[in-house]
Amino acid sequence: MQWSDLRVWKQAHALVLEVYKITSFFPKSEIYGITNQLRRASSSVAANIVEGQSRHSTKDYVHFLYTSRGSLEETRYFLLLSRDLSYLPTESYKRIEAIALSVSKM
């Protein structure tokens, strides 16, 4: 199975795409702050799934999945912070948090 066939990767990739869309509306003063951190953390979720799956060792795969989970929780925190700073409307937050929660459960 290829990494692009994994349901968890597809959901993680959808999360990254949503993060890039929403952060394009964040204040320009946050380009090197929350915008950058949120984009890096969310893309790390999907990237670590890819890297782990491409290893031919279960131990390595599990390691990268744990790293991915850490990046996911970091993403969730920055989404919450963005909502609390009023950069992200509550409805948008709920929609993207649902995607993040879906990835977390996988």
Side-chain angles (χ1 to χ4, degrees):
M1 177 180 282
Q2 229 180 347
W3 54 263
S4 58
D5 296 326
L6 298 171
R7 278 188 17 211
V8 67
W9 176 82
K10 289 176 184 179
Q11 278 295 105
H13 184 65
L15 177 66
V16 176
L17 296 176
E18 284 299 315
V19 164
Y20 269 77
K21 285 178 196 172
I22 62 158
T23 55
S24 68
F25 298 104
F26 282 15
K28 296 302 172 205
S29 62
E30 288 292 349
I31 194 77
Y32 299 111
I34 293 174
T35 299
N36 184 39
Q37 282 296 114
L38 193 46
R39 287 178 174 187
R40 288 170 54 95
S42 65
S43 61
S44 181
V45 176
N48 276 294
I49 293 168
V50 170
E51 188 167 357
Q53 200 276 338
S54 69
R55 302 289 173 126
H56 298 290
S57 156
T58 301
K59 181 180 176 184
D60 285 343
Y61 189 23
V62 170
H63 169 76
F64 280 97
L65 290 177
Y66 279 119
T67 302
S68 180
R69 179 182 283 171
S71 295
L72 178 62
E73 292 308 312
E74 182 181 0
T75 299
R76 292 178 72 197
Y77 168 71
F78 280 115
L79 289 169
L80 177 68
L81 179 60
S82 299
R83 185 203 63 192
D84 290 350
L85 291 171
S86 300
Y87 298 161
L88 183 60
T90 300
E91 286 307 311
S92 296
Y93 169 77
K94 287 179 182 177
R95 186 183 78 253
I96 200 165
E97 172 63 11
I99 297 169
L101 194 57
S102 170
V103 173
S104 180
K105 289 179 180 179
M106 288 184 194

